[in-house]
């Protein structure tokens, strides 16, 4: 259960700037440098269903790919060169697409996935580095500015997923780090993952806190102690391990992963009534909604306090001094 100390303030992001920047994803799953931060009627033949024709959106999106295949809506993060980091218009596009599919009269599933080798690396560190530092007159002013600049889009994204009426399917096409690992997994209804993917959230190493209600949502999925191992200690978790812990439903082959996700969901639609599945989702999530929303706001407030204290900067300096000291000691040998 979440701690109901009802904070009304909000959001989170500057920390992301200091976040992925230290890490670079490699095949051995070590922490990432690039991140320094609905029964269907039978088809034409009785043995299998014809592929659904894809249709697009009524809006123009720049940083996501949007399509609808029969009763399946698909949102694909589309900034592969930056490992689908949260830059450009990605978050705004994602919020708009979730709203569009939430109101769509025919879809049952909403799939969230990524283009390229990563699902998401979280913060767009490269875009953040070039931003000029701002001096604030008081800590209160600094906290308010952080909440105003970061909170609106991030909180609305989490609320959009928590309140989404369709069955929300997270399809992890590859690794997810930081916000990419923390924001989506705990609130998704179904998690499908490609072989070899992993999650990692090094918040404590960066002097930060588990983001946007992940401490509560992850605990609801896999238990407090396991959630602490991942969120508190920052341990990198393979999807194979997460499947055993109840955080991932199924692992699918990496090759042609997106097609296999659609194929799997179409099989469910062949067997199960779409409205029934959506009602099952609603009844499952109804008693969890308040706690999850409160957890988002509580985490935003805690993050804003850490940013106001310059905790991530102090942590960076501390680690830098330690590394320099070790380097000097080796030089004397």
């Amino acid at each position: 259960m979440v701690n109901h100390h009802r904070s009304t303030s909000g959001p989170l992001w500057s920390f992301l700037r200091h976040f992925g920047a230290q890490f670079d994803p490699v095949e051995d799953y070590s922490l990432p440098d690039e991140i320094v931060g609905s029964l269907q009627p039978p088809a034409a033949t009785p043995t299998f269903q014809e592929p659904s024709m894809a249709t697009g959106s009524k809006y123009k999106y720049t940083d996501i790919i949007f399509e609808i295949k029969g009763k399946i809506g698909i949102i694909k993060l589309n900034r592969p060169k930056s490992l689908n980091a949260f830059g450009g218009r990605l978050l705004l596009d994602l919020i708009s697409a979730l709203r569009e599919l939430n109101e769509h009269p025919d879809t049952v599933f909403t799939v969230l996935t990524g283009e390229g080798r990563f699902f998401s690396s979280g913060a767009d560190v490269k875009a953040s580095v070039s931003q000029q530092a701002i001096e604030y007159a008081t800590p209160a002013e600094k906290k308010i500015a952080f909440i105003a600049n970061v909170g609106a889009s991030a909180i609305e994204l989490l609320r959009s997923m928590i309140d989404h009426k369709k069955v929300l399917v997270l399809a992890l096409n590859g690794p997810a780090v930081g916000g990419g690992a923390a924001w989506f997994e705990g609130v998704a209804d179904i998690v499908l993952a490609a072989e070899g993917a992993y999650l990692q959230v090094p918040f404590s190493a960066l002097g930060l806190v588990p983001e946007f209600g992940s401490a509560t949502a992850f605990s609801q999925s896999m238990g407090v102690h396991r959630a602490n191992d991942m969120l508190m200690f920052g341990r990198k978790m393979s999807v194979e391990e997460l499947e055993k812990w109840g955080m991932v439903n199924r692992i699918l082959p990496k090759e042609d992963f997106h097609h296999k996700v659609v194929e799997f969901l179409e099989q469910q639609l062949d067997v199960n009534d779409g409205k029934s599945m959506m009602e099952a989702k609603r009844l499952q999530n109804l008693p969890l909604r308040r706690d999850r929303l409160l957890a988002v706001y509580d985490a935003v407030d805690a993050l804003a306090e850490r940013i106001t204290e310059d905790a991530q900067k102090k942590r960076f300096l501390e680690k830098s001094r330690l590394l320099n000291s070790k380097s000097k000691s080796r030089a004397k040998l």
Side-chain angles (χ1 to χ4, degrees), residues 97-217:
L98 284 166
R99 185 182 184 95
E100 182 174 359
L101 288 174
N102 195 55
E103 298 170 352
H104 196 281
D106 300 323
T107 61
V108 172
F109 293 111
T110 293
V111 177
L112 178 58
T113 189
E115 179 70 18
R117 63 193 183 96
F118 254 58
F119 169 68
S120 176
S121 61
D124 190 344
V125 177
K126 290 183 180 179
S128 302
V129 166
S130 61
Q131 295 182 0
Q132 186 174 357
I134 301 174
E135 294 293 330
Y136 297 98
T138 68
E141 183 181 342
K142 185 176 182 179
K143 180 178 180 180
I144 291 169
F146 174 78
I147 291 170
N149 293 333
V150 177
S153 59
I155 288 179
E156 178 59 14
L157 172 57
L158 268 293
R159 189 214 59 79
S160 295
M161 292 190 290
I162 292 169
D163 285 345
H164 199 64
K165 292 183 291 188
K166 310 305 173 72
V167 179
L168 184 60
V169 179
L170 178 64
L172 289 168
N173 57 294
V177 177
W183 295 15
F184 309 96
E185 287 76 359
V187 296
D189 302 305
I190 298 291
V191 180
L192 307 175
E195 294 172 332
Y198 64 83
L199 305 181
Q200 189 165 24
V201 284
F203 299 130
S204 295
L206 298 166
L208 302 170
V209 300
E211 297 170 9
F212 286 126
S214 57
T216 293

Side-chain angles (χ1 to χ4, degrees), residues 217-231:
F218 276 49
S219 296
Q220 290 171 339
S221 295
M222 61 182 179
V224 173
H225 298 126
R226 287 169 173 170
N228 282 341
D229 200 13
M230 180 177 178
L231 298 173

Side-chain angles (χ1 to χ4, degrees), residues 7 30 36 75 176 288 302:
S7 58
S30 59
V36 111
I75 304 170
L288 305 177

